[in-house]
Amino acid sequence: MRLVILGLDCLGPEVLDPASRSFMPRLAALRQQGLGGVLQSVLPPITVPAWSCMLTGRDPGELGLYGFKNRSSPSRPELVRANARWMRSPRLWEELDSARRPTITVGMPLTSPVAPLRAGHLVCGFEGALDGPSPWWPETLGEDFDELKDYRFDIQEFRHAALEEAADLAAQMTLGRFRLFRRLLRERPWELATLHEIAPDRMHHLFWRDHDPQHPRHQPGSPFADAIVDYYRLLDQAVGELVDELPPETAVLVASDHGATAMHGAVCLNEILLESGLLRLRRSPEQPHRLSPQEVDWQHTRAWAAGGYFGRIFLNLRGREREGTVPRSDAPALLRELRDLFGELELGDGRVLHNRVVSPGEIYRRVRGIPPDLMIFFAGERWRAVSTVGHRRRWMEGNDQGVDHANHSRDGIFALRVPGREPNPWTRASLLDIAPTLRPLLRLPADPSLQGHDLLNDLRRAA
């Protein structure tokens, strides 16, 4: 049996609701033909690490990936962008390739710099070409496929793009990616073919305020009110056309890594640490800017933070950090102080955010790499975090990186159609269930070390 995986970044359960079937009928039909429903993401529910977690069955702690950026060394307090070399476990197509079984992979995150494959074809993810010789493998792929001449990996600097242009680019990018993928399926051998499309995520961040009437900054009558729904229709048609071309014996999985929710605002993490005296700078910032390690007075700093879709707190721990000041014996008390500080956070205008504050060891089976000491998920993921300094306030309305109206929610979707299997009721699954479910379909041995479940096997037992 061959398997196609269509990864649609940031799609939430609302696209499978009965009310949504008018603009995503093909996806709804696929769900009704098999097994599917809500797919709960990992923490943090973001593209990196979620797709790698899905296709390995490992949680972020096991992979040592805690976000798009991670610490590479205790001697460097800043975070650096993760890439393909950070992967500690093989993803499904990499397992097949090690056995010289043919695969096609297009757009999956953390695939650049591109590594040579034994039997596969790969076009790297939205990160584009990094420091490798080519963004695809084999390197001659661009000579054989005209679709790669104007291929778009992502919408560059999408948060600063003109909105109308960004919507057009998202549509062009999706159509181009699916067109390339369909041709690869026709002209190259494969047992597993995987596609990832980042455009839904970009559309949500740019247009969720216009799309969602419940958004606190919703603008009725916006010229972009239908931008997301129009994109959904285009995406649904692309999915349907691809599925129609597949041989009938092909299994199909459509999945997302997380969903979207209205972003209500952003918490200024380092401003709060400055206010509490846990972080000290050499001089007071004159305007908002990214915190640099050179401006931190490390001798009088006990903690610092990194922002994003969630907050990360790092202790300036003696013996771990280059200029650590906090004795290990003081760390438990300091962590309790930080949990109290961020657990129920007063914004200063009468509002209080109730937040989830955890250590990596509380939510992951194993903690690898250089994890944060605390992770903070603000108000059910409706608030993000910023680490810039100079705001002189505890919160801000938007994102310090540019236009952004959506944060990531934990609930994504999945729809799995397997030839010969009867449709099943709507269900709820974990993102970590996907790899154990797909391994038997790909004739890969069961891996008892995975924490997820084979959803199809569970159904057989229930029957």
Side-chain angles (χ1 to χ4, degrees), residues 68-88:
F68 281 102
K69 294 183 177 182
N70 298 269
R71 294 188 68 182
S72 61
S73 167
S75 64
R76 296 182 59 187
E78 65 267 43
L79 277 60
V80 298
R81 186 172 181 173
N83 60 44
R85 298 191 181 109
W86 287 62
M87 285 303 302
R88 287 180 164 89

Side-chain angles (χ1 to χ4, degrees), residues 284-334:
S284 179
E286 297 181 1
Q287 58 185 6
H289 65 273
R290 180 177 297 177
L291 178 67
S292 110
Q294 289 71 34
E295 67 183 305
V296 176
D297 179 358
W298 292 107
Q299 294 303 313
H300 298 93
T301 287
R302 293 167 61 78
W304 59 279
Y309 299 111
F310 70 111
R312 285 182 266 186
I313 305 294
F314 296 89
L315 303 186
N316 191 25
L317 198 62
R318 187 181 299 169
R320 184 183 71 183
E321 310 295 328
R322 178 185 292 179
E323 299 179 75
T325 59
V326 178
R328 291 188 179 272
S329 58
D330 292 353
L334 178 55

Side-chain angles (χ1 to χ4, degrees), residues 93-116:
W93 79 83
E94 292 165 324
E95 286 198 59
L96 267 64
D97 188 71
S98 66
R100 300 186 183 276
R101 296 170 61 186
T103 62
I104 292 171
T105 307
V106 173
M108 268 292 156
L110 291 188
T111 48
S112 186
V114 172

Side-chain angles (χ1 to χ4, degrees), residues 198-458:
I198 191 65
D201 177 271
R202 303 323 190 204
M203 292 294 293
H204 290 166
H205 285 294
L206 294 176
F207 299 107
W208 199 263
R209 177 183 64 178
D210 310 280
H211 169 75
D212 179 9
Q214 304 305 314
H215 197 290
R217 293 182 295 281
H218 180 65
Q219 295 181 335
S222 164
F224 301 107
D226 296 326
I228 287 179
V229 169
D230 288 345
Y231 174 77
Y232 284 168
R233 290 192 176 101
L234 176 143
L235 179 62
D236 191 69
Q237 182 175 349
V239 170
E241 291 174 352
L242 187 149
V243 172
D244 287 345
E245 290 188 9
L246 296 175
E249 68 279 7
T250 306
V252 180
L253 169 69
V254 178
S256 65
D257 55 334
H258 56 77
T261 188
M263 188 180 79
H264 290 226
V267 175
C268 302
L269 297 172
N270 282 319
E271 291 290 338
I272 295 170
L273 292 176
L274 284 168
E275 176 187 300
S276 66
L278 296 173
L279 169 66
R280 186 179 295 184
L281 304 183
R282 299 186 188 280
R283 60 184 63 86
S284 179
E286 297 181 1
Q287 58 185 6
H289 65 273
R290 180 177 297 177
L291 178 67
S292 110
Q294 289 71 34
E295 67 183 305
V296 176
D297 179 358
W298 292 107
Q299 294 303 313
H300 298 93
T301 287
R302 293 167 61 78
W304 59 279
Y309 299 111
F310 70 111
R312 285 182 266 186
I313 305 294
F314 296 89
L315 303 186
N316 191 25
L317 198 62
R318 187 181 299 169
R320 184 183 71 183
E321 310 295 328
R322 178 185 292 179
E323 299 179 75
T325 59
V326 178
R328 291 188 179 272
S329 58
D330 292 353
L334 178 55
L335 290 172
R336 287 193 296 272
E337 179 182 350
L338 287 161
R339 286 178 186 265
D340 291 341
L341 179 63
F342 287 103
E344 291 191 2
L345 183 64
E346 296 182 3
L347 297 181
D349 59 1
R351 290 181 295 173
V352 178
L353 298 185
H354 299 276
N355 312 310
R356 184 179 183 187
V357 186
V358 297
S359 70
E362 292 170 22
I363 58 174
Y364 303 137
R365 293 199 307 179
R366 182 179 180 185
V367 178
R368 304 177 74 179
I370 306 175
D373 293 294
L374 289 176
M375 305 167 71
I376 311 170
F377 302 91
F378 290 98
E381 287 90 51
R382 292 188 299 274
W383 285 66
R384 66 174 286 130
V386 299
S387 55
T388 44
V389 294
H391 300 283
R392 294 183 173 85
R393 59 184 304 183
R394 287 188 157 203
W395 67 279
M396 57 186 293
E397 191 172 81
N399 183 348
D400 59 353
Q401 304 300 313
V403 176
D404 199 347
H405 301 300
N407 210 39
H408 292 178
S409 66
R410 287 198 73 183
D411 285 352
I413 61 158
F414 78 108
L416 175 61
R417 188 186 72 183
V418 179
R421 292 299 304 262
E422 293 296 321
N424 291 282
W426 177 277
T427 189
R428 186 178 184 92
S430 164
L431 182 144
L432 297 177
D433 293 330
I434 295 299
T437 301
L438 299 183
R439 293 183 71 86
L441 300 180
L442 294 168
R443 293 180 288 111
L444 288 170
D447 186 344
S449 70
L450 300 182
Q451 55 189 296
H453 303 280
D454 178 348
L455 299 172
L456 296 173
N457 190 51
D458 285 353

